[in-house]
Amino acid sequence: MVQVVVRDNNVDQALKALKKKMQREGVFREMKLRRHFEKPSEKKAREDAEAVRRARKLERKRLEREGF
């Protein structure tokens, strides 16, 4: 459950905080994925590709930190 406190009737600031929390929790990404049905084979392929991208990104960051 996402909850945001509105202070001093500043709705714009509260809306910005709400969007940030929803982004962090992956709500927007989940909504995008659920717009259309995704076959189980497509889902597995997408998740595998995401895992490869994450691994490559972590490896790049590790190499950058080590000074290569």
Side-chain angles (χ1 to χ4, degrees):
M1 185 68 148
V2 179
Q3 188 175 14
V4 177
V5 178
V6 179
R7 298 183 186 137
D8 301 327
N9 287 332
N10 194 345
V11 178
D12 291 332
Q13 184 179 9
L15 187 60
K16 185 176 179 181
L18 175 66
K19 286 182 181 179
K20 193 175 203 179
K21 283 186 178 184
M22 291 174 67
Q23 180 74 29
R24 204 174 317 128
E25 291 185 10
V27 174
F28 293 123
R29 187 170 182 275
E30 186 75 22
M31 285 171 32
K32 182 180 177 185
L33 288 174
R34 289 179 184 248
R35 282 188 186 141
H36 302 288
F37 178 74
E38 186 176 29
K39 289 175 24 181
S41 60
E42 292 172 346
K43 180 178 180 181
K44 184 178 182 333
R46 178 182 50 81
E47 289 175 347
D48 289 346
E50 288 174 356
V52 168
R53 276 195 297 275
R54 277 194 310 273
R56 286 182 182 159
K57 183 177 180 180
L58 286 173
E59 184 66 18
R60 274 196 316 270
K61 285 187 173 187
R62 186 183 66 80
L63 288 174
E64 186 178 303
R65 276 195 307 268
E66 292 177 0
F68 287 101

